[in-house]
Amino acid sequence: MNALPFAFAYPAILGALIALPVIWWLLRLTPPRPKAEVFPPLKILASVLKREETPAQSPWWLTLLRMLLAAVIIFAIADPVFNPRTSSLASGGPLVLFVDNSWAAAPDWERRVQTADALIDDAESAGTPVAIAFTADPTNDAVPGTAASARDKLRAAEPRPLVPDRGRALQALRAALNGVKPGTLAFLTDGAAASAADDTVRKLAELQPADLRLIEGDAGRTVAITAANNAADAMTVKVTRLDPSRTASVGLNAVDAQGRSIANGRADFRPGQSVATSSITAPFEMRNDFARISVDNGATAGAVHLLDDAFKRRRVVLLSGGGGDAFQPLLSPLYYIQRALQPYADLIQPTDSDLSVAIPKLLANNPSIIIMADIGRLPEETYQPLTRWISNGGMLLRFAGPRMAAAPADDPLIPVILRQGERALGGTLSWSEPQSLAEFPSIGPFAGIPRPADVVVKRQVLAEPTPDLAERTWASLADGTPLVTTKQLASGQIVLFHVTAEATWSDLPISGTFVDMLRHLLQISRSGGVTSETRGNARVSETLPPFRMLTAKGALVSETGSARPLIPKAEPTANFDNPPGLYGSEDGFTSLNVLPEEAELKPLDATGTNAVREGLIGGESWSAKPALFFVAFLLLLADSLIVLFMNGAFSRLRPAGRTAALIAIAVAAGFLAQPGTLHADDSQPGDDLILQRLDNTHLAYVVTGEQDVDNISERGLEGLTQFLTFRTTLEPAPPVGLDLTKDELAFYPIIYWPISATAPMPSSAAISRIDAYMRNGGTVLFDTRDQISALDNGGNVSTNGQRLQQILANLDIPPLEPVPSDHVLTKSFYLLSSFPGRYAGSALWIEARQGGREPSEKSAATADGVSPILITGNDFAGAWAVDANGVPMLPTVPSDEAQREYAYRAGVNIMMYMLTGNYKTDQVHVPDLLERLGQ
């Protein structure tokens, strides 16, 4: 890379600039203006003989114009080139490109592609192989290959909303090089360390490249949001940046689910500060509508922080078994609950003391949680509506107390069976000393909350031991007795604290742990309450399906791609299986962001290595020579017009003629100044044929060199073309015979290849072209034309089948299977159960479907589900072949015109499958298909 923005191709020409003073002196002299005289001959002769001409001095501005013209011509001949590049690849090994395609590379991804492309061009010019690996891709084929192959991989790559997994990519690169030392190793990095101990540059240096380059973008643009907390009075946001060298101010924008900006804030960084905490002030009701927080002009996945139901305000109903005492509020069962939840939820208390009246009214408000403090017995008529509300997604949170201890043990709204009475210090089920809390289980909602060392329990209600008691315990005491238990009821939950909600049985309610526990329960509750009675029978999924995915540029899209369901019990981190986005459904979802809460952007460490730091190229190299010559022409034209005016050339014209001349000059100058009016004839021989192939759909076949076989292939595809024209809306052009060694294959959706053992074996170049054609989305239909399957193990293989096996041995083909009965090929146009041709005994083989297989460049997923290979022995072309009069050329075996009809239908289904892919497998079309079938 050249650090200068431009350079001269011929800098020696600039030496001509020293001649400008001489040109200035010469241009100051101009001949005198011609003088008009009366005709008398003798007077004119006398004047000529006596007068001595002296040159007059030219105006300074005209001289300056001519000096400028001379300077422009000199600069044009020197040929200034902007963004010049020089090929400086090290020799002795392949060019290795180690590319970060992470979220931080998204803003300048095009420049990264241009930089890598320029290096590949240099390698191609030098005949050097190229290896390329991407750090945010789950797999990498980093084996050094041709520049064209590397360029294809580069074009196919795109930034991903992930932190780069450089260790995985480096492992693949090391295995691909297999001890070969690189020549030039270019690390196109996003500049950020992927972890606290990211030593990628040192490990790349261990590959012993002759030239190690560290190519970075603008680190000042890399900003990320790592956390957002909906506090009592504002939304606090933590922002981190990669370049802490200067003062900076970052704008923050809060957006609702419809994409509307509803609040703003700013995060200010001081020099040397890489993490800043800001706040977005807004009413709690408005903050409850925040769907995401983003950095202004961030345009990356890291600059967007998704918010889920855990950030939204809940509506909580508070019910108590005892009356509140205004003079002794600390003894009220609901006092500590109110203090803990008031900043984070809308609290509702009944206006009627009769629970049989109050509970139905409160359920009509669609709460997320109902909290009952020491309520032992509920009115009978309230059990059914409460059970239905819980089943539809509500959370019933109960606290123990004397009333619950005396209540019947068979209460259906208690998660466990309770022993009668309570366990107390000095009582029947007594402790020798108060019990402290045990560590919170890692699988429950309280995971991550530190165990309070100063909290003790003096009294509690005790659960009867059951086989599943441990699984349903979210918190326990030091001796193992449950403190918080739960029960799943359809889509909702019942949670029980085995102590009271005030400090008589335990000092848990007066600790900060109590606030954290209630907030965690608030977060896992349904944010919108219960919205539909039909959800009562729904099961709670153990995993959350991908709902909306975050792109590398920070946009939410509905395409989930290869994302897998998220396990909510584990600490979620963004990875290849679970990329950032929203997981769940419209009824409720969990957000997964790019960076964890404690993340901090730090520059990539390259100390101790010989890496040379470079920047991304600014664009394509281009020469200013044509533009300078054009400017010189305009200056010359202006000089000529000025001289004509000074010499009175236009004064002799009549006003009308003078105006017309000026208009003509202006029009001519306008035409000359129009860009793109002159085009070079860059057409190549054969372009008309290419345009003809592109304008129409053609069926193609492989020319084997055997006249009989090729004639049947041509007439067979002609017959299928006529059938397609008569029976479908597809009107293909005449079929085309292909020479695999030289003809372009990409124009054709499918190539029919009749196998003949007596034909010459295709060359390795032809096999390679077919392999590339199939890998890029094309399909080849191999037909052994002998009714004998060449793929059955242990069976007799014909000579044509043996030739097919020889061809397939050199092709990179996927596993094969006969067409399943539910495959899209059986219903792409006609409903078929078999695929006969001239024969009917051979199966049609296609790419095998493998459950859970991830799409790859060699799978059918890259071609919209279309198999890259079809194999049959039924002689399709023989069944389709017709003569010039449309009469079948070959009989079917056995002779049956119905079989020929089904052979044509098989051909139609194959063509529709080629052109529409897995379109017919989409379930959205099932109602229309059933309607057409009359079902």
Side-chain angles (χ1 to χ4, degrees):
M1 308 292 171
N2 198 322
L4 295 176
F6 70 93
F8 290 94
Y10 307 101
I13 302 297
L14 298 178
L17 292 175
I18 63 176
L20 288 180
V22 178
I23 297 175
W24 173 275
W25 180 75
L26 293 175
L27 291 178
R28 292 177 68 245
L29 304 178
T30 60
R33 180 176 178 179
K35 183 178 180 182
E37 296 285 351
V38 184
F39 181 68
L42 296 177
K43 187 175 181 179
I44 294 176
L45 293 175
S47 176
V48 171
L49 293 175
K50 295 179 180 179
R51 182 174 303 167
E52 181 180 354
E53 301 290 351
T54 57
Q57 186 176 4
S58 64
W60 68 267
W61 49 268
L62 181 58
T63 303
L64 182 61
L65 177 66
R66 293 172 177 174
M67 291 282 292
L68 180 61
L69 172 59
V72 169
I73 293 176
I74 293 173
F75 276 105
I77 297 175
D79 192 7
V81 179
F82 286 81
N83 297 319
R85 294 192 66 258
T86 57
S87 176
S88 57
L89 296 183
S91 59
L95 167 66
V96 177
L97 298 177
F98 197 70
V99 184
D100 278 341
N101 57 330
S102 59
W103 65 269
D108 51 8
W109 178 249
E110 295 302 325
R111 291 182 61 197
R112 295 174 184 272
V113 171
Q114 291 176 9
T115 303
D117 202 18
L119 292 171
I120 294 174
D121 289 342
D122 293 343
E124 187 175 31
S125 300
T128 303
V130 181
I132 186 169
F134 299 94
T135 60
D137 284 356
T139 58
N140 276 290
D141 179 12
V143 177
T146 63
S149 176
R151 196 175 289 111
D152 290 340
K153 295 177 184 178
L154 181 64
R155 294 290 184 269
E158 60 182 8
R160 297 178 180 270
L162 295 170
V163 175
D165 190 348
R166 295 172 179 141
R168 181 193 294 238
L170 185 59
Q171 184 178 2
L173 178 61
R174 186 180 288 110
L177 292 176
N178 194 22
V180 177
K181 296 180 181 180
T184 294
L185 196 160
F187 183 12
L188 278 77
T189 175
D190 58 20
S195 62
D198 191 344
D199 57 349
T200 304
V201 181
R202 182 181 61 81
K203 291 182 178 179
L204 289 174
E206 291 176 355
L207 298 177
Q208 299 180 7
D211 177 21
L212 178 58
R213 303 182 185 181
L214 199 62
I215 303 177
E216 300 174 287
D218 184 7
R221 301 173 57 184
T222 306
V223 181
I225 301 177
T226 58
N229 181 29
N230 202 353
D233 54 354
M235 176 76 76
T236 59
V237 182
K238 184 185 292 185
V239 186
T240 178
R241 62 173 178 169
L242 183 58
D243 182 11
S245 60
R246 59 184 183 275
T247 302
S249 181
V250 175
L252 301 176
N253 191 21
V255 180
D256 64 6
Q258 285 73 39
R260 297 170 298 191
S261 177
I262 53 180
N264 302 98
R266 298 202 71 81
D268 297 322
F269 293 91
R270 298 187 302 273
Q273 183 183 11
S274 60
V275 178
T277 301
S278 178
S279 62
I280 300 178
T281 304
F284 208 111
E285 293 76 12
M286 184 178 293
R287 279 183 277 136
N288 198 45
D289 291 333
F290 290 177
R292 61 182 182 272
I293 310 295
S294 61
V295 175
D296 290 344
N297 302 320
T300 64
V304 174
H305 193 81
L306 301 176
L307 306 178
D308 54 23
D309 293 350
F311 291 85
K312 295 184 179 180
R313 192 183 186 100
R314 268 66 166 174
R315 182 171 293 168
V316 179
V317 170
L318 302 179
L319 297 175
S320 173
D325 190 344
F327 297 100
Q328 295 180 331
L330 298 182
L331 299 179
S332 170
L334 298 176
Y335 176 79
Y336 297 104
I337 298 176
Q338 289 175 321
R339 295 292 299 270
L341 294 181
Q342 193 168 15
Y344 313 110
D346 290 329
L347 305 180
I348 303 175
Q349 297 194 40
T351 58
D352 199 315
S353 59
D354 186 355
L355 293 182
S356 63
V357 177
I359 288 178
K361 290 182 178 178
L362 294 171
L363 291 177
N365 291 324
N366 196 22
S368 297
I369 302 179
I370 295 179
I371 298 179
M372 296 182 179
D374 191 22
I375 294 181
R377 296 176 183 266
L378 287 170
E380 188 67 27
E381 60 271 24
T382 62
Y383 279 95
Q384 183 176 356
L386 278 173
T387 302
R388 185 169 58 250
W389 171 80
I390 297 171
S391 300
N392 290 335
M395 176 183 287
L396 177 61
L397 176 57
R398 304 190 69 171
F399 285 85
R403 293 179 177 83
M404 179 173 290
D410 58 350
D411 190 339
L413 297 183
I414 291 180
V416 294
I417 300 176
L418 298 178
R419 290 183 179 181
Q420 291 293 321
E422 72 265 9
R423 183 187 187 190
L425 183 65
T428 305
L429 300 172
S430 63
W431 292 306
S432 59
E433 59 183 12
Q435 291 290 307
S436 60
L437 271 62
E439 295 287 345
F440 293 109
S442 59
I443 61 173
F446 306 140
I449 299 178
R451 182 185 71 87
D454 55 345
V455 170
V456 294
V457 175
K458 297 173 290 185
R459 180 177 296 183
Q460 70 166 156
V461 292
L462 199 62
E464 291 283 357
T466 57
D468 61 343
L469 181 60
E471 299 176 2
R472 293 160 58 182
T473 300
W474 282 352
S476 59
L477 301 179
D479 64 353
T481 56
L483 177 64
V484 181
T485 56
T486 182
K487 175 185 177 182
Q488 194 76 34
L489 187 61
S491 296
Q493 289 177 316
I494 303 174
V495 181
L496 172 62
F497 277 71
H498 290 240
V499 294
T500 58
E502 28 78 24
T504 55
W505 286 19
S506 168
D507 49 11
L508 176 64
I510 60 176
S511 68
T513 303
F514 186 70
V515 179
D516 293 337
M517 295 173 73
L518 291 184
R519 287 198 60 193
H520 278 66
L521 292 176
L522 197 66
Q523 291 173 355
I524 67 173
S525 67
R526 189 186 296 272
S527 63
V530 181
T531 58
S532 174
E533 293 291 334
T534 62
R535 296 180 188 159
N537 296 326
R539 291 284 183 185
V540 176
S541 175
E542 294 183 357
T543 58
L544 299 175
F547 175 52
R548 296 284 189 272
M549 294 293 101
L550 192 67
T551 67
K553 293 189 176 181
L556 275 177
V557 295
S558 58
E559 292 81 5
T560 58
S562 60
R564 296 184 178 181
L566 180 69
I567 301 176
K569 294 182 180 180
E571 283 293 333
T573 55
N575 51 49
F576 296 118
D577 292 332
N578 299 123
L582 304 177
Y583 290 80
S585 64
E586 292 183 357
D587 298 332
F589 47 79
T590 295
S591 64
L592 181 61
N593 290 290
V594 178
L595 299 176
E597 184 171 351
E598 301 302 324
E600 180 179 349
L601 294 179
K602 292 183 177 296
L604 191 64
D605 185 15
T607 57
T609 65
N610 59 347
V612 178
R613 293 183 179 270
E614 296 180 355
L616 302 174
I617 66 175
E620 299 282 340
S621 299
W622 60 278
S623 172
K625 183 176 182 178
L628 291 176
F629 272 123
F630 181 71
V631 172
F633 171 76
L634 293 180
L635 293 175
L636 179 62
L637 182 63
D639 180 84
S640 301
L641 293 176
I642 292 172
V643 171
L644 290 175
F645 272 106
M646 292 178 62
N647 292 335
F650 294 97
S651 61
R652 300 186 181 91
L653 297 177
R654 296 181 180 179
R658 190 160 52 244
T659 303
L662 292 176
I663 294 175
I665 293 173
V667 171
F671 274 114
L672 290 174
Q674 280 291 333
T677 55
L678 300 178
H679 300 278
D681 185 7
D682 55 357
S683 61
Q684 299 292 332
D687 284 355
D688 54 344
L689 181 61
I690 293 176
L691 293 175
Q692 181 182 355
R693 295 289 186 263
L694 293 175
D695 285 343
N696 299 281
T697 300
H698 294 264
L699 307 185
Y701 64 93
V702 174
V703 175
T704 63
E706 297 184 344
Q707 184 175 359
D708 294 341
V709 176
D710 295 341
N711 182 52
I712 292 298
S713 298
E714 180 184 8
R715 299 313 305 170
L717 295 187
E718 176 62 30
L720 180 59
T721 296
Q722 296 177 12
F723 191 88
L724 286 166
T725 303
F726 295 149
R727 298 290 185 92
T728 71
T729 57
L730 178 63
E731 298 181 2
V736 177
L738 297 178
D739 182 350
L740 296 180
T741 60
K742 61 181 181 180
D743 289 336
E744 179 58 55
L745 308 181
F747 300 145
Y748 313 101
I750 185 172
I751 297 175
Y752 178 76
W753 191 336
I755 302 300
S756 176
T758 57
M761 180 68 183
S763 65
S764 58
I767 296 296
S768 298
R769 298 191 73 207
I770 278 291
D771 187 65
Y773 167 77
M774 297 168 61
R775 189 165 50 248
N776 292 329
T779 298
V780 180
L781 172 56
F782 294 95
D783 193 344
T784 58
R785 305 175 297 113
D786 52 14
Q787 197 180 2
I788 301 175
S789 174
L791 302 178
D792 291 335
N793 294 328
N796 294 326
V797 180
S798 65
T799 55
N800 287 352
Q802 293 175 0
R803 173 55 59 86
L804 174 61
Q805 290 178 351
Q806 295 173 1
I807 295 174
L808 296 183
N810 299 317
L811 288 176
D812 185 14
I813 62 173
L816 303 176
E817 67 177 354
V819 175
S821 58
D822 60 342
H823 195 273
V824 66
L825 260 173
T826 64
K827 52 193 173 184
S828 59
F829 194 84
Y830 293 105
L831 296 179
L832 299 176
S833 58
S834 62
F835 298 86
R838 189 174 172 225
Y839 308 105
S842 176
L844 179 62
W845 294 76
I846 62 171
E847 179 181 6
R849 295 181 296 185
Q850 301 177 20
R853 182 187 62 188
E854 293 187 4
S856 67
E857 63 178 359
K858 292 180 171 54
S859 72
T862 58
D864 200 16
V866 176
S867 174
I869 183 173
L870 303 176
I871 298 178
T872 186
N874 286 335
D875 192 7
F876 281 157
W880 301 335
V882 294
D883 58 17
N885 297 321
V887 178
M889 297 177 62
L890 299 175
T892 60
V893 180
S895 181
D896 184 3
E897 288 304 311
Q899 179 175 322
R900 192 184 305 277
E901 173 69 20
Y902 279 109
Y904 278 121
R905 294 187 178 188
V908 172
N909 274 28
I910 291 173
M911 278 304 300
M912 294 304 170
Y913 173 59
M914 294 301 107
L915 298 176
T916 62
N918 56 8
Y919 167 80
K920 286 295 180 66
T921 63
D922 196 340
Q923 290 298 309
V924 74
H925 305 293
V926 170
D928 295 330
L929 295 175
L930 293 178
E931 182 180 355
R932 293 189 62 183
L933 292 173
Q935 300 180 8

